[in-house]
Amino acid sequence: MAESVLRLEAVRKSYNVGQPNEAEVLHGISAELQAGEFVALVGPSGSGKSTLLNIVGLLERPTGGEVFIRGENATALDEAGVTRLRGRTLGFVFQFHHLIPAFSALENVMMPQIIDRGRPEPAMAANARELLARVGLADKAASRPNQLSGGQQQRVAIARALAARPALVLADEPTGNLDSKSADDVFALMREFNQEQGIAFLLVTHDPRLAARCDRVIELFDGRVVDGATVA
Amino acid sequence: MIPLPFAWLVALRFLREGRMQTALILSGVTAGVAVIIFLTALIEGLQANIIARTLGTQPHVVVRPVEDAARPVMERTGPPVAAVIEKRAQRLRSIDQWERVVPVIEATPGVVAVSPMVSGPAFAVRGNASKSVALLGVEPERYLRVVKFRDYMVAGEFRLSGTDALIGVDLSRDLGVTLGDKLRIASSQNRDDVVTIVGIFDVGNKEVNQRWVFLPLRLTQNLLDLVGGVSNIDATVERLFDAETVARRVEAQTGLQAESWMQTNAQLLSALKNQTLTNRLIRGFVILIVALGIASVLVVSVVQKSKEIGILRAMGASRRNIMSVFLLQGAVYGFAGSLAGVLLGFGLVSAFSGVFRNPDGSVFFKPAVDLEIVVSACITALLIGLVAAALPARRASRLDPVTAIRNG
């Protein structure tokens, strides 16, 4: 049986707790992702997709329920422990690539490992070069993000998300601001890494075409998982 | 090359990226440190100059016999008989057993040289002219260790034996005498002797040049009727501004009266102290301005970089990592700025040391590269950079990654 990389148990999230405008946006979400799964998270705007992704990404804490990453209860960890767990097990691909302009493409890809180990090592550069080659940007290693096209930047961001060999990559509309050709390339690339290396992906998307190409779809509506939406 | 740790890597890259900000704040720190270095050198040079001039002819500490005091007739506890106790006229007296006192003073911590002296009033007579003078009977080797008088000799040399005498340029002009001429010295004790002029000095002070006459100790003792005695003992101290402490120590050791140059020149000393205080005040304000400059640049930088901070945090950078990134930037501003400031400061000092000159044309202050100042300036600036960066760094470390990424 496959190993569980993510398990959510009755996760709730409220904003402005204790104030008159207190609002619960997630009303008890339970879900599980197995290693190597490629899952789409869909739902209309305001359904709580981004909030859920932030909670899974350990960037926000839930107000109730528990989050397990690779069996480790992240809700029980302190700030430093959460940061460490995030750095070692999770990779991020944002809608707007979010590369760091002060660093070259190669350095951006190396960054998660540099943070993890405290300083650059020769092996990291080799690993980053390999990843850049895999995403078809071997010749752009020395380029700054602002010298790359949108699709190229997003491919660098994917390489960066994979650099530290995470168990789970979280992608927030990674193809949202790309033309359809680039979007297809980027999606294909993520699928490739998923199938070759067994890295699990949780992909927030608006695009039903992309969702259909995933292993499974989790649909959110008004802060709840819509039953029966799971596509085999 | 050893790879830089994460925080250094990011800090230096951020500094390079914000080239304009970095250049501006670095010039600010440089200017501030240069002002401090220049001002300090200027004021220290000025003070050293004034002190050197003042103490050119003065010993650091003068030891004298305790003054004669009239003793009240009645017991202290009884009713006062006389309301006014007249002060006694102070006669010329020798220090009791001075030959034993000299080694005691020499052994006092802080004292480096001691010179016994007998001094008193007399007349210098040549033909019909007679001038009132002050006799200074000294042992030349000892005296030269206390006061650097050799520098003032314009003719002959500072040596005293037999009936040798040294006089000032103004006295030699007034009496029309020069090297090798004879002069009669008559004291108020009705003793007189004929001396030979072997040296003429010019200390740059007319009063001294007109009145001082150096004679051998033994001869002066005879002239002043103080055979075998000395009227005061001069001492040089190791550190100039310890003179007062050393004087009190000497008093305690010998039971004599000791007066330091700091008491004799109290007014000068308070002027110097005020000057030092002013310098400190200016220094304090410059440091404050530099710190505020660094802090404000970093506050802006934290806002500009908040998106990057959020991304780094999402990729596993800890709060402490982020804080280090900004503390390091502050430290680099302080350290690099102070290095440049030290160079500029010393450049200014050497440029201006050619401009400011003494009346006699000698340089006013020497452009000395004081390693202590360099090191302390750099360390201070480094600390100021760190302190100034503390608040922005704290802010950066507390940024919420989600908000930072969304709004950045």
Side-chain angles (χ1 to χ4, degrees):
Chain A
M1 188 182 142
E3 185 199 357
S4 156
V5 285
L6 168 70
R7 198 168 85 240
L8 300 176
E9 281 187 3
V11 167
R12 295 173 175 277
K13 179 70 182 176
S14 302
Y15 288 105
N16 307 312
V17 175
Q19 287 167 35
N21 58 347
E22 174 170 344
E24 192 173 80
V25 293
L26 296 177
H27 314 288
I29 307 276
S30 295
E32 188 160 9
L33 249 76
Q34 305 298 324
E37 266 197 302
F38 198 97
V39 178
L41 182 62
V42 299
S45 300
S47 59
K49 299 191 301 287
S50 294
T51 303
L52 186 62
L53 201 70
N54 287 337
I55 288 174
V56 171
L58 308 179
L59 295 167
E60 281 185 66
R61 281 178 184 274
T63 22
E66 282 168 335
V67 179
F68 294 87
I69 305 279
R70 270 173 139 181
E72 189 171 356
N73 188 350
T75 22
L77 295 173
D78 64 1
E79 172 71 26
V82 163
T83 303
R84 210 172 306 121
L85 183 63
R86 179 166 66 223
R88 294 195 174 156
T89 57
L90 300 176
F92 290 85
V93 181
F94 303 95
Q95 179 175 6
F96 302 98
H97 67 85
H98 292 322
L99 297 177
I100 297 172
F103 291 94
S104 69
L106 187 75
E107 290 164 328
N108 265 287
V109 175
M110 289 165 70
M111 195 52 78
Q113 282 182 292
I114 294 176
I115 291 171
D116 186 43
R117 302 297 300 272
R119 64 178 69 228
E121 288 165 12
M124 295 176 190
N127 175 47
R129 260 178 225 291
E130 213 180 291
L131 281 167
L132 279 178
R134 281 296 311 276
V135 301
L137 294 171
D139 54 336
K140 300 286 185 190
S143 304
R144 290 294 170 93
N146 58 12
Q147 298 166 319
L148 300 173
S149 74
Q152 288 172 332
Q153 288 176 353
Q154 202 56 296
R155 280 187 276 159
V156 174
I158 290 170
R160 179 179 67 182
L162 297 168
R165 303 202 165 273
L168 172 62
V169 171
L170 304 170
D172 190 359
E173 307 213 27
T175 58
N177 66 337
L178 299 179
D179 61 73
S180 62
K181 168 79 174 66
S182 304
D184 279 347
D185 286 351
V186 165
F187 184 84
L189 207 53
M190 290 194 287
R191 210 47 169 130
E192 249 176 71
F193 280 112
N194 163 248
Q195 280 162 358
E196 276 174 29
Q197 303 183 9
I199 297 169
F201 277 74
L202 182 61
L203 181 77
V204 169
T205 182
H206 267 122
D207 189 341
R209 217 165 41 86
L210 291 184
R213 288 158 67 185
C214 296
D215 294 340
R216 188 153 67 93
V217 175
I218 298 175
E219 190 181 345
L220 280 190
F221 190 81
D222 279 351
R224 287 194 173 81
V225 177
V226 179
D227 286 332
T230 304
V231 178
Chain B
M1 208 182 85
I2 302 160
L4 289 171
F6 167 75
W8 272 104
L9 200 71
V10 178
L12 292 182
R13 210 51 84 81
F14 279 5
L15 287 176
R16 210 166 76 188
E17 208 192 16
R19 224 166 272 142
M20 192 67 166
Q21 279 170 356
T22 305
L24 285 175
I25 190 62
L26 275 183
S27 1
V29 178
T30 301
V33 173
V35 163
I36 290 177
I37 296 274
F38 179 63
L39 204 66
T40 307
L42 185 69
I43 286 180
E44 274 176 5
L46 178 79
Q47 296 196 340
N49 207 290
I50 290 172
I51 290 170
R53 282 179 171 257
T54 308
L55 294 183
T57 55
Q58 280 184 21
H60 297 163
V61 175
V62 181
V63 184
R64 292 197 184 85
V66 179
E67 285 189 358
D68 290 336
R71 225 177 292 156
V73 182
M74 293 295 290
E75 297 278 322
R76 233 165 248 242
T77 47
V81 175
V84 179
I85 298 170
E86 218 171 279
K87 241 188 156 254
R88 286 189 63 170
Q90 300 297 318
R91 67 204 154 96
L92 188 60
R93 284 193 311 154
S94 170
I95 292 174
D96 198 25
Q97 299 187 43
W98 66 270
E99 273 120 332
R100 274 204 217 145
V101 173
V102 167
V104 172
I105 299 175
E106 270 172 341
T108 308
V111 173
V112 291
V114 172
S115 165
M117 174 190 277
V118 57
S119 67
F123 289 99
V125 185
R126 184 173 182 249
N128 288 334
S130 107
K131 292 276 165 195
S132 128
V133 295
L135 299 183
L136 292 89
V138 297
E139 294 172 349
E141 309 79 43
R142 278 180 172 278
Y143 185 73
L144 285 175
R145 261 183 273 146
V146 173
V147 180
K148 305 275 167 272
F149 224 88
R150 204 165 257 147
D151 304 344
Y152 301 127
M153 301 307 294
V154 290
E157 54 180 315
F158 201 103
R159 65 177 162 86
L160 294 165
S161 57
T163 57
D164 292 343
L166 307 168
I167 64 170
V169 280
D170 291 280
L171 185 63
S172 86
R173 204 174 298 133
D174 287 352
L175 294 176
V177 291
T178 181
L179 283 186
D181 288 353
K182 306 249 186 240
L183 202 61
R184 198 163 66 85
I185 302 289
S187 74
S188 51
Q189 274 76 19
N190 289 324
R191 292 173 184 269
D192 67 337
D193 215 328
V194 173
V195 296
T196 312
I197 296 161
V198 297
I200 295 172
F201 57 81
D202 179 5
V203 301
N205 176 331
K206 190 153 187 184
E207 173 77 13
V208 171
N209 286 346
Q210 266 180 335
R211 289 183 52 89
W212 283 20
V213 174
F214 284 99
L215 296 175
L217 186 64
R218 167 104 18 114
L219 180 65
T220 321
Q221 287 169 336
N222 289 335
L223 283 167
L224 295 174
D225 220 0
L226 219 60
V227 178
V230 299
S231 54
N232 53 283
I233 299 171
D234 294 347
T236 302
V237 296
E238 202 175 350
R239 270 192 303 271
L240 208 49
F241 286 89
D242 288 348
E244 181 58 32
T245 332
V246 173
R248 297 287 77 78
R249 234 178 262 156
V250 168
E251 270 187 354
Q253 296 268 341
T254 61
L256 299 169
Q257 252 180 13
E259 198 178 35
S260 70
W261 71 272
M262 296 156 92
Q263 277 173 291
T264 324
N265 305 282
Q267 215 168 2
L268 170 75
L269 204 67
S270 84
L272 293 184
K273 272 187 185 148
N274 286 336
Q275 213 174 34
T276 307
L277 195 72
T278 312
N279 185 26
R280 286 216 186 112
L281 211 65
I282 294 173
R283 221 190 290 191
F285 276 114
V286 171
I287 286 174
L288 188 69
I289 291 166
V290 165
L292 289 176
I294 292 177
S296 63
V297 162
L298 286 176
V299 165
V300 171
S301 171
V302 168
V303 173
Q304 286 176 331
K305 298 277 187 268
S306 59
K307 194 171 98 177
E308 278 97 323
I309 294 167
I311 299 166
L312 290 170
R313 293 273 285 127
M315 290 191 302
S318 64
R319 286 192 167 167
R320 190 180 292 213
N321 283 155
I322 300 299
M323 192 179 262
S324 311
V325 167
F326 285 88
L327 286 178
L328 283 173
Q329 291 184 64
V332 168
Y333 284 147
F335 191 70
S338 70
L339 273 184
V342 165
L343 287 179
L344 181 62
F346 279 117
L348 283 175
V349 169
S350 36
F352 276 87
S353 70
V355 176
F356 299 132
R357 283 183 184 279
N358 288 318
D360 60 5
S362 60
V363 289
F364 188 71
F365 57 83
K366 277 180 269 162
V369 179
D370 189 343
L371 198 68
E372 202 178 316
I373 292 183
V374 176
V375 172
S376 74
C378 291
I379 291 176
T380 310
L382 188 76
L383 292 178
I384 290 166
L386 282 175
V387 169
L391 200 77
R394 215 174 101 97
R395 250 180 81 166
S397 75
R398 304 217 156 184
L399 276 182
D400 171 35
V402 174
T403 329
I405 293 171
R406 197 184 301 135
N407 303 338

